[in-house]
Amino acid sequence: MTTLTLVHARYQLLETIRIPIALIGSAFFPAASMLFFVVPFAGDDPVAATYATASMVTFSIMVSSLFTYGVGVADDRSQPWDGYMRTLAAGAAPRFAGRILAGMAMSLVSLVPVVLIGALFTEATTTALGFLLGIATVFVGALPFTLMGLAIGYALPLKAALVVCQVIFFPLAFGGGLMSAPDQAPGFIQTIAPYLPTRGAVELMWAAVGDYSPHATSLVAFAAWTVAAGAVAVWAYRRDEGRRFR
């Protein structure tokens, strides 16, 4: 099981390296936001820069997860090779686990430009423990977006999946308050943010790297989105499996 999982993860990573535009795109938007908004407006304030960098890390996680799994899975489903892979005796578990591992690796790579910009061009700072907690929080914060991506990828054809991912990632980012300082978003954003998964994810990240206490409503909503996205992903996978072998 472990060996097969690593083989599938290596395959997914090689496919991405051969056509790296998806990874470049996942890293571009958060890095560009850092350069155009964080560096000039919050770069000189250590606290503001730290929270802003954490927000852009969360933004990068969300974008990478949605496109890696949403568009990636839909693209794989459109290829004859995917149908053949499903007939192999190893089953779906190693292939599924390999895709998750490869996606996590690509998400970490997409964070590098954001972290470097924060370290080199702003006064953002955290402790060694805060940095380690931030890395751990990356994996926790990615959960609902990974499951959302899988749900989109298994439920929709490639063109539709691409459109849906493009349409939802900005509203999730702005609505979750990723573009504003903690508890300083405009009124209507503060009203809706606690009920979006991005808010729970970014509050966990703020708590990891700084002195911030997450709100209970945001954490409950984060958990609810994770469970709901997981349920839809399982349903979409089973429906797609049933259609292929009907």
Side-chain angles (χ1 to χ4, degrees):
M1 170 70 176
T2 302
T3 302
L4 289 173
T5 297
L6 294 176
V7 169
H8 281 288
R10 179 174 178 271
Y11 166 75
Q12 292 289 336
L13 289 171
L14 287 174
E15 286 291 297
T16 302
I17 292 170
R18 287 173 184 151
I19 309 174
I21 189 64
L23 183 59
I24 294 172
S26 298
F28 172 77
F29 288 108
S33 298
M34 283 288 294
L35 287 173
F36 290 115
F37 299 107
V38 176
V39 173
F41 297 110
D44 294 332
D45 184 333
V47 174
T50 300
Y51 285 138
T53 301
S55 295
M56 292 303 102
V57 166
T58 305
F59 188 16
S60 183
I61 295 168
M62 177 191 67
V63 173
S64 179
S65 297
L66 287 175
F67 282 89
T68 296
Y69 299 109
V71 179
V73 169
D75 183 46
D76 283 352
R77 287 174 53 238
S78 68
Q79 307 298 324
W81 178 252
D82 186 67
Y84 168 73
M85 293 285 286
R86 295 191 186 205
T87 66
L88 298 179
R95 183 162 51 92
F96 193 79
R99 180 183 293 280
I100 297 295
L101 283 178
M104 288 180 177
M106 288 185 284
S107 294
L108 289 175
V109 172
S110 73
L111 296 179
V112 172
V114 174
V115 174
L116 286 178
I117 292 170
L120 297 176
F121 301 109
T122 76
E123 297 298 320
T125 183
T126 188
T127 63
L129 177 61
F131 185 78
L132 293 175
L133 287 174
I135 293 175
T137 304
V138 164
F139 298 106
V140 176
L143 281 174
F145 311 113
T146 296
L147 294 170
M148 287 169 66
L150 290 170
I152 292 167
Y154 282 117
L156 300 173
L158 176 58
K159 291 183 179 179
L162 180 59
V163 170
V164 170
C165 290
Q166 289 174 330
V167 166
I168 67 174
F169 84 88
F170 259 124
L172 283 173
F174 281 98
L178 301 189
M179 303 304 172
S180 51
D183 303 321
Q184 293 183 20
F188 73 101
I189 296 295
Q190 296 222 38
T191 300
I192 65 173
Y195 305 102
L196 295 178
T198 36
R199 187 64 182 194
V202 77
E203 288 192 3
L204 288 172
M205 188 63 70
W206 288 337
V209 302
D211 184 19
Y212 185 87
S213 298
H215 296 87
T217 302
S218 300
L219 298 182
V220 171
F222 178 83
W225 275 91
T226 302
V227 172
V232 175
V234 170
W235 168 81
Y237 177 80
R238 289 178 175 173
R239 188 190 68 160
D240 183 61
E241 196 82 356
R243 286 179 173 180
R244 285 177 178 270
F245 296 101
R246 185 175 297 170

